[in-house]
Amino acid sequence: MFKKVLIANRGEIALRVIRACRELGIRTVAIHSTADAESLHVRFADEAVCVGPPASKDSYLNIRSILSAAEITGADAIHPGYGFLSENAQFAEVVEQVGLKFIGPRSAMLKLMGNKVQAREAAEKAGLPLLPGARGVLEDADDADKVAREIGFPIILKAAAGGGGRGMKIVREGGDVRKAFETASNEALSAFGNGDMYLERYVEEPRHIELQIVADERGNVIHLGERECSVQRRHQKLLEEAPSPAVTPELRREMGEVALEAMRGIGYNNVGTIEFLMDEKGRYYFMEMNTRIQVEHPVTEQVYGLDLLRLQIKLSAGHDLPRTQDQVVPRFHAIECRINAEDPETFAPSPGRITGYHQPGGYGVRVDTLAYEQYKVQPYYDSLVAKLICWGDSREVAMDRMRRALSEYVVEGIKTNLAFHRRVMAHKGFAAGKYDTRIVEQILAEKKTAG
Ligand code: MV4
Protein backbone atom coordinates (compact mmCIF):
# COMPACT_ATOMS: atom_id res chain seq x y z
CA MET A 1 0.00 0.00 0.00
CA PHE A 2 1.06 3.60 -0.58
CA LYS A 3 2.78 5.38 2.31
CA LYS A 4 1.99 8.94 1.31
CA VAL A 5 -0.51 10.29 -1.22
CA LEU A 6 -0.41 13.83 -2.61
CA ILE A 7 -3.85 15.18 -3.48
CA ALA A 8 -3.62 17.38 -6.57
CA ASN A 9 -6.96 19.04 -5.96
CA ARG A 10 -8.96 21.21 -3.56
CA GLY A 11 -12.43 21.48 -2.05
CA GLU A 12 -14.73 18.65 -1.07
CA ILE A 13 -13.04 16.04 -3.28
CA ALA A 14 -9.63 16.72 -1.71
CA LEU A 15 -11.29 16.14 1.69
CA ARG A 16 -12.95 12.99 0.39
CA VAL A 17 -9.56 11.58 -0.70
CA ILE A 18 -7.84 12.63 2.54
CA ARG A 19 -10.54 10.84 4.57
CA ALA A 20 -10.17 7.64 2.56
CA CYS A 21 -6.37 7.77 2.94
CA ARG A 22 -6.59 8.30 6.72
CA GLU A 23 -8.86 5.25 7.04
CA LEU A 24 -6.32 3.24 5.03
CA GLY A 25 -3.41 4.44 7.22
CA ILE A 26 -1.88 6.46 4.37
CA ARG A 27 -0.27 9.84 5.07
CA THR A 28 -1.53 12.76 2.98
CA VAL A 29 -0.07 15.87 1.37
CA ALA A 30 -2.42 18.70 0.44
CA ILE A 31 -1.45 21.22 -2.19
CA HIS A 32 -3.08 24.61 -2.24
CA SER A 33 -3.05 28.04 -3.81
CA THR A 34 -2.44 31.16 -1.73
CA ALA A 35 -6.22 31.74 -1.82
CA ASP A 36 -6.89 28.35 -0.21
CA ALA A 37 -4.54 28.57 2.80
CA GLU A 38 -7.54 28.52 5.19
CA SER A 39 -9.24 25.55 3.47
CA LEU A 40 -10.29 22.38 5.24
CA HIS A 41 -8.24 20.16 2.92
CA VAL A 42 -5.11 22.00 4.07
CA ARG A 43 -6.03 21.52 7.72
CA PHE A 44 -7.07 17.88 7.40
CA ALA A 45 -4.01 16.68 5.48
CA ASP A 46 -0.86 15.61 7.35
CA GLU A 47 1.22 18.08 5.34
CA ALA A 48 0.46 20.96 3.00
CA VAL A 49 2.45 22.70 0.29
CA CYS A 50 1.54 26.02 -1.32
CA VAL A 51 1.98 25.56 -5.07
CA GLY A 52 1.16 29.02 -6.38
CA PRO A 53 -1.14 32.03 -6.70
CA PRO A 54 -4.96 31.80 -6.90
CA ALA A 55 -5.44 31.27 -10.65
CA SER A 56 -5.81 27.54 -11.36
CA LYS A 57 -3.29 27.61 -14.19
CA ASP A 58 -0.65 28.83 -11.71
CA SER A 59 -1.49 26.41 -8.88
CA TYR A 60 -3.81 23.38 -9.27
CA LEU A 61 -2.80 23.05 -12.94
CA ASN A 62 0.88 23.82 -12.36
CA ILE A 63 2.47 20.46 -13.13
CA ARG A 64 6.03 21.53 -12.24
CA SER A 65 5.03 22.88 -8.81
CA ILE A 66 2.89 19.84 -8.07
CA LEU A 67 5.68 17.40 -8.99
CA SER A 68 8.12 19.43 -6.86
CA ALA A 69 5.69 19.22 -3.93
CA ALA A 70 5.50 15.44 -4.41
CA GLU A 71 9.28 15.19 -4.48
CA ILE A 72 10.05 17.32 -1.42
CA THR A 73 7.39 15.56 0.68
CA GLY A 74 8.34 12.07 -0.48
CA ALA A 75 4.87 11.13 -1.75
CA ASP A 76 4.63 7.83 -3.62
CA ALA A 77 1.30 8.45 -5.35
CA ILE A 78 -0.82 11.34 -6.64
CA HIS A 79 -4.60 11.46 -6.52
CA PRO A 80 -5.91 13.98 -9.08
CA GLY A 81 -9.56 14.12 -7.90
CA TYR A 82 -11.91 15.38 -10.61
CA GLY A 83 -11.47 18.37 -12.94
CA PHE A 84 -8.03 20.08 -12.98
CA LEU A 85 -5.41 17.49 -14.09
CA SER A 86 -7.55 14.39 -13.54
CA GLU A 87 -7.93 13.53 -17.23
CA ASN A 88 -4.70 15.10 -18.48
CA ALA A 89 -2.86 12.22 -20.19
CA GLN A 90 0.42 14.13 -20.28
CA PHE A 91 0.30 14.76 -16.54
CA ALA A 92 -0.49 11.09 -15.83
CA GLU A 93 2.37 10.08 -18.13
CA VAL A 94 4.91 12.33 -16.38
CA VAL A 95 3.72 11.06 -12.99
CA GLU A 96 4.29 7.49 -14.20
CA GLN A 97 7.69 8.42 -15.68
CA VAL A 98 9.03 9.91 -12.44
CA GLY A 99 8.12 6.68 -10.66
CA LEU A 100 4.99 7.84 -8.84
CA LYS A 101 1.62 6.16 -9.04
CA PHE A 102 -1.13 8.15 -10.74
CA ILE A 103 -4.30 7.06 -8.94
CA GLY A 104 -6.55 6.45 -11.92
CA PRO A 105 -6.41 4.53 -15.18
CA ARG A 106 -3.06 4.23 -16.97
CA SER A 107 -2.15 7.30 -19.06
CA ALA A 108 -2.78 5.46 -22.36
CA MET A 109 -6.43 5.09 -21.30
CA LEU A 110 -6.71 8.83 -20.55
CA LYS A 111 -5.22 9.53 -23.98
CA LEU A 112 -7.62 7.16 -25.76
CA MET A 113 -10.78 8.46 -24.05
CA GLY A 114 -9.62 12.08 -24.23
CA ASN A 115 -9.93 11.98 -28.01
CA LYS A 116 -13.66 11.55 -28.58
CA VAL A 117 -13.21 10.18 -32.11
CA GLN A 118 -10.77 7.52 -30.94
CA ALA A 119 -12.99 6.77 -27.94
CA ARG A 120 -15.99 6.33 -30.26
CA GLU A 121 -14.05 3.99 -32.52
CA ALA A 122 -12.74 1.96 -29.56
CA ALA A 123 -16.27 1.76 -28.14
CA GLU A 124 -17.66 0.56 -31.45
CA LYS A 125 -14.94 -2.09 -31.85
CA ALA A 126 -15.60 -3.24 -28.30
CA GLY A 127 -19.31 -3.70 -29.04
CA LEU A 128 -20.94 -0.66 -27.42
CA PRO A 129 -23.99 0.68 -29.31
CA LEU A 130 -23.38 3.96 -31.14
CA LEU A 131 -25.65 6.43 -32.89
CA PRO A 132 -25.33 6.42 -36.69
CA GLY A 133 -22.41 8.71 -37.49
CA ALA A 134 -19.25 9.41 -39.39
CA ARG A 135 -16.40 6.95 -39.41
CA GLY A 136 -13.43 8.75 -37.89
CA VAL A 137 -12.59 12.42 -38.27
CA LEU A 138 -14.54 14.44 -40.87
CA GLU A 139 -12.23 15.45 -43.72
CA ASP A 140 -13.78 18.84 -44.46
CA ALA A 141 -17.08 20.73 -44.75
CA ASP A 142 -18.06 18.78 -47.88
CA ASP A 143 -17.44 15.49 -46.11
CA ALA A 144 -19.59 16.65 -43.18
CA ASP A 145 -22.39 17.63 -45.55
CA LYS A 146 -22.21 14.28 -47.37
CA VAL A 147 -22.25 12.20 -44.16
CA ALA A 148 -25.13 14.30 -42.73
CA ARG A 149 -27.25 13.61 -45.82
CA GLU A 150 -26.51 9.89 -45.60
CA ILE A 151 -27.45 9.69 -41.92
CA GLY A 152 -30.44 12.03 -42.01
CA PHE A 153 -31.27 15.08 -39.89
CA PRO A 154 -31.06 16.29 -37.20
CA ILE A 155 -27.31 15.76 -36.68
CA ILE A 156 -24.81 17.03 -34.13
CA LEU A 157 -21.24 18.08 -34.89
CA LYS A 158 -18.81 17.45 -32.06
CA ALA A 159 -15.14 18.30 -31.51
CA ALA A 160 -12.75 15.37 -31.13
CA ALA A 161 -10.96 17.29 -28.37
CA GLY A 162 -14.21 18.52 -26.80
CA GLY A 163 -16.44 16.67 -24.39
CA GLY A 164 -18.85 17.63 -21.67
CA GLY A 165 -20.82 19.74 -24.10
CA ARG A 166 -18.02 21.97 -25.39
CA GLY A 167 -17.56 22.40 -29.14
CA MET A 168 -20.94 21.05 -30.30
CA LYS A 169 -23.30 22.26 -33.04
CA ILE A 170 -26.74 20.90 -33.95
CA VAL A 171 -27.95 21.04 -37.57
CA ARG A 172 -31.58 20.34 -38.45
CA GLU A 173 -33.27 19.59 -41.79
CA GLY A 174 -32.60 22.46 -44.20
CA GLY A 175 -29.69 23.79 -42.08
CA ASP A 176 -26.24 24.58 -43.46
CA VAL A 177 -23.94 21.69 -42.45
CA ARG A 178 -20.92 23.21 -44.24
CA LYS A 179 -21.21 26.50 -42.40
CA ALA A 180 -21.81 24.76 -39.05
CA PHE A 181 -18.75 22.59 -39.66
CA GLU A 182 -16.52 25.59 -40.42
CA THR A 183 -17.72 27.53 -37.38
CA ALA A 184 -17.49 24.56 -34.99
CA SER A 185 -14.12 23.42 -36.30
CA ASN A 186 -12.63 26.92 -35.96
CA GLU A 187 -14.03 27.22 -32.44
CA ALA A 188 -12.56 23.84 -31.54
CA LEU A 189 -9.20 24.84 -33.00
CA SER A 190 -8.95 28.00 -30.91
CA ALA A 191 -10.39 26.37 -27.76
CA PHE A 192 -8.49 23.06 -27.80
CA GLY A 193 -5.75 23.54 -30.42
CA ASN A 194 -7.42 20.77 -32.43
CA GLY A 195 -10.12 21.40 -35.05
CA ASP A 196 -10.94 17.73 -35.69
CA MET A 197 -14.69 17.11 -35.82
CA TYR A 198 -17.07 14.15 -36.00
CA LEU A 199 -20.81 13.95 -36.33
CA GLU A 200 -23.67 11.68 -35.38
CA ARG A 201 -27.47 11.60 -35.41
CA TYR A 202 -28.92 14.01 -32.85
CA VAL A 203 -31.28 12.62 -30.19
CA GLU A 204 -33.88 15.29 -29.39
CA GLU A 205 -34.94 14.69 -25.80
CA PRO A 206 -32.31 12.43 -24.30
CA ARG A 207 -31.72 11.26 -20.79
CA HIS A 208 -28.11 11.28 -19.62
CA ILE A 209 -27.36 7.94 -18.02
CA GLU A 210 -23.90 6.83 -16.97
CA LEU A 211 -22.56 3.48 -15.83
CA GLN A 212 -19.99 3.18 -13.03
CA ILE A 213 -17.12 0.85 -13.95
CA VAL A 214 -14.56 -0.61 -11.53
CA ALA A 215 -11.62 -2.65 -12.82
CA ASP A 216 -8.50 -4.11 -11.21
CA GLU A 217 -5.03 -4.42 -12.76
CA ARG A 218 -5.62 -8.08 -13.68
CA GLY A 219 -8.52 -7.51 -16.07
CA ASN A 220 -11.41 -8.18 -13.70
CA VAL A 221 -14.22 -5.67 -14.25
CA ILE A 222 -17.52 -5.05 -12.50
CA HIS A 223 -20.11 -2.31 -12.84
CA LEU A 224 -22.02 -0.56 -10.06
CA GLY A 225 -25.11 0.25 -12.06
CA GLU A 226 -26.10 3.57 -13.51
CA ARG A 227 -26.61 7.13 -12.38
CA GLU A 228 -29.30 9.34 -13.87
CA CYS A 229 -27.81 12.78 -14.60
CA SER A 230 -30.49 14.45 -16.71
CA VAL A 231 -31.00 17.37 -14.30
CA GLN A 232 -28.45 19.70 -15.87
CA ARG A 233 -28.18 23.26 -17.05
CA ARG A 234 -25.64 24.22 -19.72
CA HIS A 235 -23.88 20.88 -19.21
CA GLN A 236 -23.53 21.51 -15.49
CA LYS A 237 -25.18 18.71 -13.54
CA LEU A 238 -27.31 19.96 -10.68
CA LEU A 239 -28.77 16.72 -9.31
CA GLU A 240 -28.02 13.04 -9.82
CA GLU A 241 -29.80 9.92 -8.67
CA ALA A 242 -29.31 6.17 -8.68
CA PRO A 243 -30.82 3.93 -9.85
CA SER A 244 -32.31 5.73 -12.88
CA PRO A 245 -36.14 5.73 -12.96
CA ALA A 246 -35.75 4.85 -16.67
CA VAL A 247 -33.66 1.69 -16.19
CA THR A 248 -35.29 -1.63 -15.33
CA PRO A 249 -33.30 -4.45 -13.71
CA GLU A 250 -33.34 -6.24 -17.09
CA LEU A 251 -32.00 -3.19 -18.94
CA ARG A 252 -29.35 -2.70 -16.22
CA ARG A 253 -28.20 -6.28 -16.64
CA GLU A 254 -28.03 -5.91 -20.41
CA MET A 255 -26.21 -2.56 -20.38
CA GLY A 256 -23.86 -3.95 -17.74
CA GLU A 257 -23.00 -7.05 -19.74
CA VAL A 258 -22.33 -5.05 -22.90
CA ALA A 259 -20.22 -2.55 -20.95
CA LEU A 260 -18.17 -5.18 -19.10
CA GLU A 261 -17.39 -6.98 -22.34
CA ALA A 262 -16.27 -3.65 -23.83
CA MET A 263 -14.11 -2.73 -20.84
CA ARG A 264 -12.38 -6.13 -20.95
CA GLY A 265 -11.78 -5.65 -24.68
CA ILE A 266 -10.30 -2.19 -24.18
CA GLY A 267 -8.22 -3.33 -21.18
CA TYR A 268 -9.68 -0.67 -18.92
CA ASN A 269 -8.26 -0.35 -15.42
CA ASN A 270 -9.31 1.54 -12.25
CA VAL A 271 -12.60 3.46 -11.91
CA GLY A 272 -14.38 5.01 -14.86
CA THR A 273 -17.77 6.04 -16.15
CA ILE A 274 -19.40 5.27 -19.47
CA GLU A 275 -21.82 8.03 -20.49
CA PHE A 276 -24.87 7.01 -22.50
CA LEU A 277 -27.63 8.95 -24.17
CA MET A 278 -31.02 7.29 -23.81
CA ASP A 279 -33.87 8.07 -26.19
CA GLU A 280 -37.60 8.06 -25.38
CA LYS A 281 -37.82 4.39 -26.37
CA GLY A 282 -35.18 3.35 -23.83
CA ARG A 283 -32.51 2.71 -26.47
CA TYR A 284 -29.04 3.67 -25.26
CA TYR A 285 -25.97 4.88 -27.10
CA PHE A 286 -22.34 5.37 -26.08
CA MET A 287 -21.46 9.04 -25.75
CA GLU A 288 -18.12 9.41 -23.92
CA MET A 289 -16.06 7.73 -21.23
CA ASN A 290 -14.82 9.59 -18.14
CA THR A 291 -11.54 8.26 -16.78
CA ARG A 292 -11.81 9.80 -13.30
CA ILE A 293 -13.72 9.54 -10.05
CA GLN A 294 -16.77 11.75 -10.59
CA VAL A 295 -18.47 14.44 -8.53
CA GLU A 296 -21.59 12.27 -8.27
CA HIS A 297 -19.85 9.06 -7.10
CA PRO A 298 -21.54 9.22 -3.64
CA VAL A 299 -24.97 8.20 -4.98
CA THR A 300 -23.45 4.96 -6.22
CA GLU A 301 -21.65 4.46 -2.90
CA GLN A 302 -24.88 4.80 -0.94
CA VAL A 303 -26.85 2.52 -3.28
CA TYR A 304 -24.25 -0.27 -3.34
CA GLY A 305 -22.66 0.18 0.10
CA LEU A 306 -19.15 0.45 -1.34
CA ASP A 307 -16.53 3.11 -0.58
CA LEU A 308 -15.41 4.00 -4.11
CA LEU A 309 -12.40 6.10 -3.00
CA ARG A 310 -11.08 3.38 -0.72
CA LEU A 311 -11.61 0.90 -3.54
CA GLN A 312 -9.96 3.14 -6.15
CA ILE A 313 -6.85 3.64 -4.00
CA LYS A 314 -6.57 -0.10 -3.28
CA LEU A 315 -6.98 -0.96 -6.97
CA SER A 316 -4.19 1.50 -7.82
CA ALA A 317 -1.98 -0.21 -5.24
CA GLY A 318 -2.53 -3.49 -7.12
CA HIS A 319 -5.31 -5.05 -5.02
CA ASP A 320 -7.85 -7.27 -6.73
CA LEU A 321 -11.56 -6.49 -6.93
CA PRO A 322 -13.13 -7.49 -3.60
CA ARG A 323 -16.41 -8.64 -5.13
CA THR A 324 -17.76 -10.32 -8.23
CA GLN A 325 -20.65 -8.89 -10.24
CA ASP A 326 -23.27 -11.07 -8.52
CA GLN A 327 -22.00 -9.84 -5.14
CA VAL A 328 -22.86 -6.22 -5.90
CA VAL A 329 -26.55 -5.47 -5.47
CA PRO A 330 -28.33 -2.11 -5.52
CA ARG A 331 -29.93 -1.89 -2.07
CA PHE A 332 -31.10 1.72 -1.80
CA HIS A 333 -32.17 4.71 -3.82
CA ALA A 334 -29.92 7.78 -3.51
CA ILE A 335 -30.20 11.40 -4.68
CA GLU A 336 -27.50 14.06 -4.71
CA CYS A 337 -28.16 17.79 -4.85
CA ARG A 338 -25.21 19.98 -5.79
CA ILE A 339 -25.40 23.09 -3.62
CA ASN A 340 -23.66 25.86 -5.57
CA ALA A 341 -22.73 29.40 -4.61
CA GLU A 342 -24.74 31.00 -7.38
CA ASP A 343 -27.56 33.40 -8.04
CA PRO A 344 -30.81 31.37 -8.14
CA GLU A 345 -32.16 33.57 -10.97
CA THR A 346 -29.18 33.96 -13.28
CA PHE A 347 -27.04 31.00 -12.13
CA ALA A 348 -24.07 33.42 -12.07
CA PRO A 349 -21.41 32.50 -9.47
CA SER A 350 -21.90 34.18 -6.09
CA PRO A 351 -18.62 33.96 -4.17
CA GLY A 352 -18.10 35.54 -0.75
CA ARG A 353 -18.02 34.81 2.97
CA ILE A 354 -20.47 32.35 4.52
CA THR A 355 -21.66 34.25 7.58
CA GLY A 356 -24.08 31.63 8.87
CA TYR A 357 -24.05 27.91 8.24
CA HIS A 358 -26.07 24.94 9.38
CA GLN A 359 -26.06 21.66 7.49
CA PRO A 360 -28.66 18.91 7.70
CA GLY A 361 -27.96 15.56 9.29
CA GLY A 362 -29.86 12.63 10.68
CA TYR A 363 -30.80 9.26 9.24
CA GLY A 364 -29.94 8.68 5.59
CA VAL A 365 -28.25 12.05 5.04
CA ARG A 366 -24.66 12.75 3.98
CA VAL A 367 -23.04 16.11 3.29
CA ASP A 368 -19.71 16.25 1.43
CA THR A 369 -18.55 19.84 1.70
CA LEU A 370 -15.66 22.26 2.04
CA ALA A 371 -17.92 24.75 3.84
CA TYR A 372 -17.97 25.98 7.42
CA GLU A 373 -19.17 29.17 9.11
CA GLN A 374 -16.88 32.07 8.08
CA TYR A 375 -15.48 30.11 5.09
CA LYS A 376 -14.90 32.38 2.10
CA VAL A 377 -16.09 30.91 -1.20
CA GLN A 378 -13.37 31.83 -3.70
CA PRO A 379 -14.14 33.33 -7.11
CA TYR A 380 -11.29 31.46 -8.84
CA TYR A 381 -12.70 27.94 -8.77
CA ASP A 382 -15.98 26.11 -9.36
CA SER A 383 -18.96 27.23 -7.29
CA LEU A 384 -19.69 23.85 -5.64
CA VAL A 385 -20.23 24.41 -1.92
CA ALA A 386 -21.67 21.05 -0.88
CA LYS A 387 -23.10 17.80 -2.12
CA LEU A 388 -26.20 16.84 -0.18
CA ILE A 389 -26.84 13.12 -0.54
CA CYS A 390 -29.97 11.42 0.80
CA TRP A 391 -30.95 7.79 0.47
CA GLY A 392 -33.67 5.39 1.48
CA ASP A 393 -35.32 2.06 0.73
CA SER A 394 -37.21 3.54 -2.20
CA ARG A 395 -37.15 6.59 -4.46
CA GLU A 396 -40.11 8.00 -2.52
CA VAL A 397 -38.26 7.75 0.82
CA ALA A 398 -35.11 9.28 -0.70
CA MET A 399 -37.20 12.21 -2.02
CA ASP A 400 -39.00 12.70 1.32
CA ARG A 401 -35.64 12.73 3.08
CA MET A 402 -34.15 15.19 0.55
CA ARG A 403 -37.09 17.57 1.05
CA ARG A 404 -36.59 17.35 4.81
CA ALA A 405 -32.80 17.84 4.53
CA LEU A 406 -33.20 20.81 2.16
CA SER A 407 -35.58 22.39 4.68
CA GLU A 408 -32.87 22.18 7.37
CA TYR A 409 -30.04 23.62 5.26
CA VAL A 410 -29.02 27.21 6.10
CA VAL A 411 -26.32 29.07 4.16
CA GLU A 412 -26.10 32.82 4.88
CA GLY A 413 -23.91 35.53 3.36
CA ILE A 414 -23.83 34.11 -0.18
CA LYS A 415 -26.50 33.19 -2.70
CA THR A 416 -27.08 29.50 -3.29
CA ASN A 417 -29.27 27.29 -5.45
CA LEU A 418 -30.96 25.68 -2.40
CA ALA A 419 -34.31 27.18 -3.44
CA PHE A 420 -33.91 25.69 -6.92
CA HIS A 421 -33.41 22.22 -5.44
CA ARG A 422 -36.55 22.65 -3.33
CA ARG A 423 -38.39 23.39 -6.58
CA VAL A 424 -37.00 20.27 -8.27
CA MET A 425 -38.13 18.16 -5.33
CA ALA A 426 -41.62 19.68 -5.65
CA HIS A 427 -41.81 19.13 -9.42
CA LYS A 428 -44.45 16.63 -10.60
CA GLY A 429 -42.40 15.28 -13.49
CA PHE A 430 -39.37 14.75 -11.29
CA ALA A 431 -41.46 13.10 -8.57
CA ALA A 432 -42.92 10.75 -11.19
CA GLY A 433 -39.45 9.97 -12.54
CA LYS A 434 -40.65 11.14 -15.95
CA TYR A 435 -38.08 13.68 -17.04
CA ASP A 436 -35.22 14.23 -19.48
CA THR A 437 -32.46 16.79 -20.08
CA ARG A 438 -35.04 19.57 -20.64
CA ILE A 439 -36.26 19.44 -17.02
CA VAL A 440 -34.30 22.46 -15.71
CA GLU A 441 -35.65 24.71 -18.49
CA GLN A 442 -39.16 23.41 -17.76
CA ILE A 443 -38.88 24.18 -14.06
CA LEU A 444 -37.53 27.67 -14.71
CA ALA A 445 -40.34 28.34 -17.22
CA GLU A 446 -42.97 27.22 -14.71
CA LYS A 447 -41.55 29.64 -12.17
CA LYS A 448 -42.02 32.54 -14.62
CA THR A 449 -45.67 31.59 -15.22
CA ALA A 450 -46.35 31.25 -11.49
CA GLY A 451 -44.67 34.60 -10.68
C1 MV4 B 1 -25.71 14.51 -27.91
C2 MV4 B 1 -27.05 14.90 -27.75
C3 MV4 B 1 -27.96 14.41 -28.64
N1 MV4 B 1 -27.57 13.58 -29.63
N2 MV4 B 1 -25.38 13.69 -28.90
C4 MV4 B 1 -23.94 17.08 -24.29
C5 MV4 B 1 -22.73 16.77 -23.48
C6 MV4 B 1 -21.86 15.96 -24.34
N3 MV4 B 1 -21.25 14.90 -23.58
C7 MV4 B 1 -22.75 15.43 -25.41
N4 MV4 B 1 -24.01 16.08 -25.27
C8 MV4 B 1 -25.06 15.75 -26.05
N5 MV4 B 1 -24.75 14.92 -27.07
C9 MV4 B 1 -26.30 13.26 -29.74
N6 MV4 B 1 -25.94 12.45 -30.75
C10 MV4 B 1 -27.38 15.75 -26.70
C11 MV4 B 1 -26.38 16.19 -25.87
C12 MV4 B 1 -26.84 17.06 -24.83
C13 MV4 B 1 -26.90 16.63 -23.52
C14 MV4 B 1 -26.46 15.39 -23.13
C15 MV4 B 1 -26.56 14.98 -21.83
C16 MV4 B 1 -27.08 15.84 -20.87
C17 MV4 B 1 -27.50 17.09 -21.23
C18 MV4 B 1 -27.42 17.51 -22.54
C19 MV4 B 1 -27.85 18.78 -22.88
C20 MV4 B 1 -27.76 19.18 -24.17
C21 MV4 B 1 -27.26 18.33 -25.15
Side-chain angles (χ1 to χ4, degrees):
M1 184 42 73
F2 308 120
K3 291 194 166 56
K4 198 186 267 189
V5 170
L6 180 141
I7 299 97
N9 214 303
R10 65 181 299 283
E12 68 83 21
I13 193 63
L15 277 175
R16 177 72 188 83
V17 178
I18 290 165
R19 286 171 168 153
C21 287
R22 173 131 315 154
E23 289 171 14
L24 285 162
I26 303 168
R27 289 182 61 79
T28 53
V29 181
I31 60 157
H32 65 92
S33 67
T34 51
D36 275 341
E38 304 296 310
S39 293
L40 285 185
H41 78 282
V42 172
R43 286 198 239 168
F44 281 20
D46 295 304
E47 298 169 62
V49 181
C50 182
V51 290
S56 296
K57 65 170 183 11
D58 301 320
S59 49
Y60 298 103
L61 293 172
N62 188 336
I63 295 178
R64 284 167 179 279
S65 297
I66 293 168
L67 290 175
S68 299
E71 192 179 358
I72 58 170
T73 55
D76 49 7
I78 298 185
H79 197 299
Y82 53 66
F84 295 122
L85 297 167
S86 62
E87 295 184 295
N88 184 317
Q90 279 168 4
F91 176 64
E93 198 178 345
V94 184
V95 171
E96 288 165 1
Q97 279 166 359
V98 300
L100 300 177
K101 190 74 187 175
F102 177 85
I103 301 180
R106 63 183 80 87
S107 61
M109 213 53 72
L110 271 58
K111 202 173 164 194
L112 174 69
M113 297 304 175
N115 183 309
K116 306 304 163 187
V117 170
Q118 284 174 22
R120 196 173 189 273
E121 284 171 347
E124 182 176 36
K125 256 197 212 147
L128 288 169
L130 298 185
L131 282 155
R135 290 203 165 269
V137 176
L138 294 166
E139 279 168 38
D140 52 25
D142 285 343
D143 189 28
D145 188 62
K146 181 171 145 274
V147 176
R149 282 170 204 288
E150 283 165 15
I151 289 166
F153 293 90
I155 59 103
I156 182 165
L157 287 154
K158 296 184 180 182
R166 298 171 310 161
M168 308 191 317
K169 235 176 191 70
I170 299 158
V171 186
R172 296 174 195 283
E173 191 74 61
D176 192 338
V177 178
R178 285 189 183 83
K179 195 174 150 210
F181 174 91
E182 296 294 0
T183 309
S185 179
N186 281 325
E187 280 173 11
L189 187 62
S190 53
F192 318 118
N194 175 358
D196 286 355
M197 302 295 298
Y198 66 110
L199 75 74
E200 59 189 24
R201 171 84 68 49
Y202 181 67
V203 180
E204 289 285 356
E205 293 151 15
R207 297 180 84 121
H208 174 136
I209 287 171
E210 56 183 36
L211 200 73
Q212 178 68 56
I213 300 297
V214 188
D216 65 24
E217 306 284 324
R218 297 202 309 170
N220 303 303
V221 194
I222 59 170
H223 71 84
L224 298 178
E226 79 287 351
R227 293 183 287 263
E228 166 74 63
C229 306
S230 297
V231 185
Q232 335 194 335
R233 185 183 171 273
R234 300 200 180 161
H235 308 295
Q236 288 295 109
K237 294 170 187 164
L238 292 169
L239 177 154
E240 306 90 352
E241 64 174 318
S244 166
V247 176
T248 62
E250 295 71 45
L251 183 55
R252 180 171 309 113
R253 194 170 310 122
E254 187 204 303
M255 289 177 78
E257 275 170 22
V258 173
L260 293 190
E261 189 61 30
M263 292 302 105
R264 287 185 209 108
I266 287 168
Y268 196 81
N269 70 313
N270 210 256
V271 303
T273 298
I274 309 177
E275 292 187 353
F276 294 99
L277 278 180
M278 187 173 278
D279 68 16
E280 74 288 349
K281 294 201 171 108
R283 291 176 296 207
Y284 59 93
Y285 307 96
F286 172 82
M287 194 161 50
E288 296 177 13
M289 180 151 193
N290 301 322
T291 51
R292 60 173 191 273
I293 192 80
Q294 290 195 257
V295 176
E296 59 271 28
H297 76 275
V299 295
T300 301
E301 296 187 317
Q302 301 306 150
V303 167
Y304 284 83
L306 258 171
D307 179 336
L308 273 169
L309 261 300
R310 182 184 179 91
L311 186 53
Q312 183 191 25
I313 294 164
K314 288 176 79 169
L315 292 169
S316 274
H319 291 229
D320 291 341
L321 279 178
R323 300 194 206 174
T324 56
Q325 188 63 54
D326 46 309
Q327 289 168 337
V328 293
V329 185
R331 299 208 179 273
F332 298 104
H333 193 99
I335 305 172
E336 171 180 280
C337 289
R338 296 192 189 188
I339 314 304
N340 295 330
E342 61 190 22
D343 187 305
E345 307 293 324
T346 64
F347 289 85
S350 173
R353 192 173 295 279
I354 296 175
T355 54
Y357 184 76
H358 177 80
Q359 69 182 38
Y363 191 89
V365 177
R366 163 177 173 186
V367 181
D368 282 16
T369 183
L370 77 171
Y372 53 86
E373 196 157 300
Q374 294 304 320
Y375 173 73
K376 199 171 161 202
V377 178
Q378 298 294 337
Y380 314 101
Y381 316 110
D382 70 26
S383 57
L384 184 69
V385 168
K387 303 189 303 200
L388 170 58
I389 305 108
C390 293
W391 64 95
D393 288 340
S394 67
R395 189 165 187 269
E396 280 62 42
V397 174
M399 287 192 294
D400 287 344
R401 195 158 282 148
M402 184 61 83
R403 291 187 196 100
R404 184 272 288 176
L406 286 167
S407 77
E408 290 178 8
Y409 221 137
V410 179
V411 182
E412 290 170 342
I414 57 166
K415 292 175 183 169
T416 73
N417 61 356
L418 275 164
F420 172 79
H421 284 298
R422 292 182 188 120
R423 292 187 62 84
V424 177
M425 298 312 296
H427 185 258
K428 292 254 163 51
F430 181 83
K434 293 196 172 74
Y435 66 94
D436 56 49
T437 47
R438 296 169 304 167
I439 187 173
V440 175
E441 275 174 75
Q442 288 164 353
I443 290 172
L444 295 175
E446 280 167 31
K447 187 173 187 177
K448 280 199 190 100
T449 319

